[in-house]
């Protein structure tokens, strides 16, 4: 085995080890973003076709392929290196299109979430049925965590079926939650008891922040994948050229 190939192999292994560590960090970060959005994720249609999930799947598959590539390099298996290169290129392209697709449909998903929020308010708290109870749980969770009230404004709650036009809001809207605190406000006066921001804007802001983080992570992953592909191509070309002279 020539010293040139040994250098190529060591460089390729180091790159893949760094790539594995990067992939693991991306999986952890993306999973954290996915869990963080658990309270409003049911409002967004398909809960598993999201940017963090696309990134988690791509990073895990890339980590697995990194092991395949290292085996191919150390044992000089051209077929493994070829499979590594082709699959990494497919993931490279699919990740780019997948993240762009999710970001492009962000506005449509947001409008669907807004409609679901309004429906949850109208049917709050739901006297019967599992879906209505889930609506109550979802709205309370969103309002408590994001410190918001209603969809666009707290007055949205005045249209809830349960209160029939009364100027009431759920206790989860209160800055300091106590039993019945949401019924201590007036139609145009909150007395500083409740959150004033609408939940839709807060959700949109968090989704946009998450998309920015996912976009940065995806760019880093794609950038390092490019290095891995180039290094694997160098190894494969060297092995093929060497075998011609054997």
């Amino acid at each position: 085995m020539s010293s040139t190939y040994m250098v190529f192999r060591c460089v390729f292994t180091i790159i893949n080890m760094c790539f594995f560590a990067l992939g693991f960090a991306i999986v952890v970060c993306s999973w954290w973003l996915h869990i963080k959005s658990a309270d409003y994720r049911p409002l967004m249609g398909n809960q598993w076709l999201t940017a963090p999930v696309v990134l988690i799947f791509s990073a895990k598959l890339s980590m697995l392929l990194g092991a395949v590539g290292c085996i191919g390099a150390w044992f000089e298996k051209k077929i493994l290196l070829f499979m590594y290169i082709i699959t990494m290129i497919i993931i490279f392209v699919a990740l780019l299109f997948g993240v762009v697709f999710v970001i492009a449909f962000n506005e449509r998903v947001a409008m669907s979430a807004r409609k679901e929020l309004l429906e949850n308010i109208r049917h709050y708290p739901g006297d019967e049925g599992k879906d209505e109870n889930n609506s109550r749980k979802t709205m309370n969770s969103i309002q408590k965590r994001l410190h918001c009230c209603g969809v666009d404004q707290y007055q949205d709650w005045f249209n809830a079926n349960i209160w029939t036009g009364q100027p009431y809001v759920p206790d989860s809207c209160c800055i300091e939650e106590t039993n019945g605190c949401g019924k201590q406000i007036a139609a145009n006066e909150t007395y500083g008891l409740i959150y004033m921001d609408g939940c839709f804007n807060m959700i949109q802001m968090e989704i946009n922040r998450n998309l920015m983080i996912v976009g940065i992570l995806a760019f880093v992953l794609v950038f390092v994948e490019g290095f891995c592909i180039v290094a694997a191509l160098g190894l494969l070309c060297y092995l093929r050229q060497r075998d011609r002279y054997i």
Side-chain angles (χ1 to χ4, degrees), residues 26-39:
I26 288 175
V27 168
V28 172
C29 186
S30 299
W31 188 249
W32 174 73
L33 292 175
H34 184 68
I35 293 174
K36 187 180 177 184
S37 63
D39 45 13

Side-chain angles (χ1 to χ4, degrees), residues 39-185:
D39 45 13
Y40 58 78
R41 205 166 55 239
L43 306 173
M44 303 173 68
N46 192 327
Q47 300 186 43
W48 296 100
L49 188 59
T50 62
V53 172
V54 171
L55 196 55
I56 288 170
F57 178 78
S58 300
K60 282 186 174 181
L61 189 55
S62 299
M63 289 164 64
L64 179 63
L65 282 172
V68 173
C70 286
I71 292 172
W74 280 92
F75 292 96
E76 302 184 22
K77 301 295 183 182
K78 289 186 290 183
I79 184 63
L80 289 180
L81 285 172
F82 182 76
M83 289 171 56
Y84 173 85
I85 292 168
I86 295 300
T87 313
M88 285 290 274
I89 290 174
I90 292 173
I91 294 175
F92 183 93
V93 175
L95 180 59
L96 285 177
F97 277 100
V99 173
V100 169
F101 175 82
V102 171
I103 293 175
F105 277 82
N106 179 45
E107 190 66 28
R108 183 178 298 181
V109 171
M111 289 299 105
S112 175
R114 186 177 185 277
K115 183 187 291 186
E116 287 295 321
L117 282 171
L118 289 170
E119 283 296 309
N120 284 350
I121 285 179
R122 193 160 64 88
H123 296 296
Y124 184 95
D127 296 326
E128 58 184 15
K130 180 179 178 181
D131 290 339
E132 287 79 8
N133 289 332
N134 281 341
S135 297
R136 171 186 235 176
K137 181 180 178 181
T138 297
M139 290 306 301
N140 286 342
S141 176
I142 290 172
Q143 292 182 148
K144 288 178 182 178
R145 187 175 71 82
L146 297 180
H147 296 170
C148 58
C149 188
V151 179
D152 300 310
Q153 54 189 358
Y154 70 91
Q155 287 95 336
D156 293 331
W157 281 108
F158 301 167
N159 298 319
N161 293 340
I162 189 173
W163 291 310
T164 60
Q166 295 294 324
Y168 298 154
V169 299
D171 293 344
S172 57
C173 282
C174 298
I175 297 174
E176 295 184 9
E177 187 176 349
T178 57
N179 188 32
C181 61
K183 297 182 179 180
Q184 299 174 15
I185 64 171

